[in-house]
Amino acid sequence: MDLGSLTMEVARLSIWLVLLAMLFVPVEWLFSLHERRGKARWADLGYYFLNGLLPGVLLAPLLATIAVLAQKATPAFYSDWVASWPFVAKLIAGLLVSEIGAYWGHRWCHEVPFLWRFHAIHHSVEHLDWLANTRAHPLDIVFVRLCGLTPVYMLGLASTPGAAGASAADTMIPVYVTLLGTVWSFLVHANVRWRFGWLEQVAATPAFHHWHHTNGAEGRDRNYAAMFPWVDRLFGTLHLPRDAWPPVYGIDKPVRGGVSDELLHPFRRDDDVAAAPVDKAAPQERG
């Protein structure tokens, strides 16, 4: 990425940040679930720009390789059949396939100790709001997005530019899927007390994702889906009480230090990581 492209990307992210703030700041002020954080969070802003730039750069060559391999491995009759679908059908199928892939990527981040070292940075947040969504290790984001987008390419639901029979719209399906998931992620992290009744069984809401961030015994390691709670129901990990919210957030051993310490945390030995004090009154969780 040259300096001109970088400047344009930073400008684009800055515009999105202003628009998101114009939406979520007044909403969280009017409908806050918990007391709002009043001080500026420079680390969150740093993560916002870092994760708006770096994951895409890292993913591009990986997805290009996967797309080429998928194209070579897919039988022609199957490719022709999928190509005949209307764009809307391919987009919906892409969303569903990506959701299931990302579900398992996210779940593995909780169940595989090495992956958890990266994902713990996001879960160390003890106060959820819309901007807390951005506080995550870039490699954690790359892994989960790769899990979500790989099956989209493998099933022929997206094409690379210049591929035989590929339309411009088909090449944009991964972009649309990623954009929708990103915007939705800001919503489900928001510090709002809204509940949506039966709609919560159809689409992810703040209540659904807040339970994913709990550090309490009830609800821990649940609600991995990004947008569709029925995926968690399908795999037995849904937890969504009708009238309750999590009593506590975060993890028992938060990652200490600034952004640089958090980015290096997954690569350190356990005895190189400063132990954080544990609230004995809070339910215990792995660190």
Side-chain angles (χ1 to χ4, degrees):
M1 182 182 294
D2 58 33
L3 181 59
S5 298
L6 178 61
T7 302
M8 290 297 295
E9 283 299 302
V10 171
R12 177 184 63 83
L13 288 170
S14 299
I15 293 172
W16 270 107
L17 180 62
V18 171
L19 294 175
L20 289 167
M22 289 174 62
L23 173 63
F24 284 107
V25 170
V27 165
E28 290 188 345
W29 186 80
L30 291 170
F31 305 102
S32 59
L33 172 66
H34 302 294
E35 182 179 357
R36 292 173 292 113
R37 291 188 287 177
K39 61 182 180 180
R41 290 151 294 158
W42 300 111
D44 290 346
L45 292 174
Y47 272 111
Y48 171 83
F49 284 99
L50 177 65
N51 288 325
L53 295 169
L54 187 57
V57 173
L58 298 177
L59 275 169
L62 296 174
L63 291 175
T65 302
I66 291 169
V68 171
L69 294 175
Q71 186 178 356
K72 293 181 179 298
T74 304
F77 75 89
Y78 175 81
S79 298
D80 293 340
W81 176 60
V82 174
S84 68
W85 293 8
F87 170 75
V88 173
K90 284 186 279 190
L91 178 59
I92 292 174
L95 285 170
L96 297 178
V97 168
S98 175
E99 178 78 352
I100 293 174
Y103 166 92
W104 281 105
H106 191 179
R107 183 167 174 174
W108 292 331
C109 286
H110 284 249
E111 296 178 347
V112 178
F114 176 71
L115 296 176
W116 171 252
R117 294 179 69 86
F118 294 87
H119 195 57
I121 293 170
H122 182 57
H123 276 267
S124 67
V125 176
E126 297 177 347
H127 184 115
L128 288 193
D129 58 24
W130 68 278
L131 194 54
N133 170 52
T134 67
R135 199 177 187 98
H137 198 287
L139 296 183
D140 178 29
I141 294 176
V142 167
F143 176 75
V144 176
R145 285 187 184 172
L146 193 63
C147 289
L149 293 176
T150 294
V152 176
Y153 284 101
M154 296 302 295
L155 292 175
L157 297 169
S159 303
T160 55
S167 67
D170 289 345
T171 65
M172 291 297 292
I173 286 178
V175 176
Y176 296 144
V177 169
T178 301
L179 181 60
L180 179 58
T182 300
V183 173
W184 205 268
S185 190
F186 281 102
L187 169 64
V188 298
H189 284 87
N191 177 26
V192 292
R193 59 181 183 269
W194 296 337
R195 298 304 299 259
F196 296 90
W198 64 268
L199 286 175
E200 293 185 342
Q201 304 298 318
V202 180
T205 62
F208 170 84
H209 196 70
H210 276 231
W211 277 109
H212 175 70
H213 277 267
T214 185
N215 191 30
E218 180 187 9
R220 183 184 303 161
D221 295 326
R222 297 289 186 270
N223 299 1
Y224 298 111
M227 291 187 292
F228 304 128
W230 54 264
V231 175
D232 278 281
R233 184 179 296 280
L234 178 66
F235 295 114
T237 52
L238 179 65
H239 180 80
L240 190 57
R242 179 176 298 178
D243 299 314
W245 292 86
V248 62
Y249 302 86
I251 55 178
D252 287 340
K253 296 180 180 179
V255 182
R256 295 303 186 189
V259 173
S260 59
D261 291 310
E262 293 179 353
L263 294 176
L264 292 174
H265 166 76
F267 307 103
R268 293 184 173 133
R269 298 175 301 175
D270 289 336
D271 55 1
D272 289 337
V273 180
V278 177
D279 182 358
K280 299 299 183 182
Q284 298 297 299
E285 185 185 27
R286 66 189 185 287

